[in-house]
Amino acid sequence: MLTPSIEGFVDGNGVTYRYAELQGTDPDAAWVSLQDASIEEYLNQDSMIPAEIQTLYELFDGFIASVLSGKRKQRILDVGCGIRSNWPPYVRSLQIGQAATSNVYVGLDPLKHNMSGRQYPFIAGRLEDLPGTLNARFDAFLFSTSLDHFQDIRQCAAVISSLANPGAVSIFWIGLHDPAIVAEQVGAHVFRKIFASLHPVRFLWRYLEAGFRVPVTYIRLLARRSKLLTGKPLDNLHFHYFTERNLRPALELFGEVERYLQVPGTNSVFVCVRHR
């Protein structure tokens, strides 16, 4: 059994390990296929982060900081922290405040890239295999666009409950796939491009260009709605595709929703759930 600390994981003999690897049951082929498809996406994200995503990282960082404000000596598990060796950009406030708060941040991810090079305590493995490995529970759980990667959300919630201290919270960043919300996000980009220049010729050209995009977007959103209604996947990277309608029941498996914030102009929502 290992005890999480700021330095890493301390075993029963007092030896500290920077990272740990979980041993568990072999996942099924669908799970393995999804994880393999995710690797390239994560590598591309790390090579060049768009300004919009960087802004969302900073907003989620602020949301996390506001939920955990004033908390001391808490253990925080980041469920799906990714493959980067440095601290994820959405937990910069935790990193900066760690010395003053003595909060312990632990990353967990099934992808085993950069295992030994992490700047923070890291567990390589699946959440489902974590119970029984640590002799300490957690006060906060972070899900940064990772909840939709779980095959069985009910099982995920049950495991989190078994790892949670009384009064623990789960903090989520989740993307919504409602056609209307996606349309709003696309529209924000289109209008910004149209009005990037008020020169009459450039404005007219971009206005006409946007006009061609409207029917294309309409067809794509019709296809998206059809897939959501019939349960067909939108891509090969996720098991679930959340909408305003199906998200709240999934969140309530974890506990009581205390805060729910949708970021304007995006499909991102930040949620804080208090465990029962």
Side-chain angles (χ1 to χ4, degrees):
M1 297 288 284
L2 301 175
T3 302
S5 70
I6 292 177
E7 292 77 19
F9 307 99
V10 183
D11 66 13
N13 298 317
V15 179
T16 299
Y17 298 88
R18 194 60 177 170
Y19 68 95
E21 184 173 359
L22 298 179
Q23 302 297 324
T25 57
D26 293 332
D28 62 26
W31 186 89
V32 173
S33 175
L34 184 147
Q35 300 307 315
D36 289 344
S38 299
I39 293 175
E40 184 176 356
E41 180 192 29
Y42 290 136
L43 290 174
N44 290 337
Q45 284 180 352
D46 278 355
S47 63
M48 185 174 63
I49 302 176
E52 178 184 348
I53 301 301
Q54 184 61 48
T55 298
L56 288 170
Y57 281 150
E58 294 180 8
L59 289 174
F60 190 49
D61 180 21
F63 186 80
I64 294 170
S66 68
V67 172
L68 301 180
S69 176
K71 306 296 184 182
R72 299 288 186 272
K73 297 182 179 179
Q74 292 207 336
R75 292 188 176 92
I76 301 155
L77 180 66
D78 189 350
V79 183
C81 62
I83 64 175
R84 56 177 64 85
S85 58
N86 55 323
W87 287 64
Y90 53 83
V91 290
R92 295 283 169 80
S93 295
L94 290 177
Q95 180 183 11
I96 294 171
Q98 184 173 245
T101 62
S102 298
N103 288 335
V104 175
Y105 170 85
V106 176
L108 169 72
D109 202 279
L111 301 179
K112 300 178 181 179
H113 286 60
N114 301 321
M115 284 179 56
S116 60
R118 304 277 176 151
Q119 296 178 357
Y120 51 88
F122 174 65
I123 301 173
R126 304 170 70 209
L127 174 69
E128 295 87 342
D129 298 323
L130 186 55
T133 299
L134 302 178
N135 61 1
R137 294 191 171 193
F138 291 88
D139 304 289
F141 303 87
L142 309 181
F143 289 81
S144 176
T145 67
S146 58
L147 184 61
D148 45 13
H149 288 269
F150 282 89
Q151 280 179 291
D152 189 335
I153 294 180
R154 188 175 296 275
Q155 180 188 18
C156 171
V159 173
I160 292 294
S161 179
S162 72
L163 297 170
N165 275 324
V169 295
S170 283
I171 306 172
F172 300 89
W173 171 7
I174 294 172
L176 296 178
H177 296 275
D178 304 74
I181 293 176
V182 174
E184 179 185 355
Q185 186 175 18
V186 173
H189 288 288
V190 171
F191 265 74
R192 179 172 181 174
K193 185 176 181 180
I194 291 174
F195 291 99
S197 171
L198 295 181
H199 187 282
V201 175
R202 294 192 185 96
F203 173 81
L204 180 61
W205 172 253
R206 288 170 178 162
Y207 176 78
L208 294 173
E209 183 183 32
F212 285 110
R213 291 189 61 181
V214 171
V216 174
T217 302
Y218 176 75
I219 293 172
R220 288 176 177 173
L221 291 179
L222 278 179
R224 174 183 292 265
R225 185 182 67 175
S226 176
K227 289 181 178 180
L228 290 172
L229 290 174
T230 58
K232 294 181 180 179
L234 300 179
D235 55 33
N236 65 339
L237 300 173
H238 307 90
F239 284 113
H240 302 276
Y241 303 92
F242 293 113
T243 63
E244 289 182 310
R245 182 175 182 179
N246 67 20
L247 176 57
R248 191 166 289 270
L251 294 172
E252 289 175 350
L253 295 173
F254 292 83
E256 180 182 354
V257 176
E258 286 193 343
R259 298 176 63 182
Y260 185 103
L261 172 66
Q262 183 172 345
V263 182
T266 77
N267 70 327
S268 292
V269 294
F270 302 154
V271 186
C272 174
V273 174
R274 180 77 56 181
H275 291 267
R276 299 182 180 92

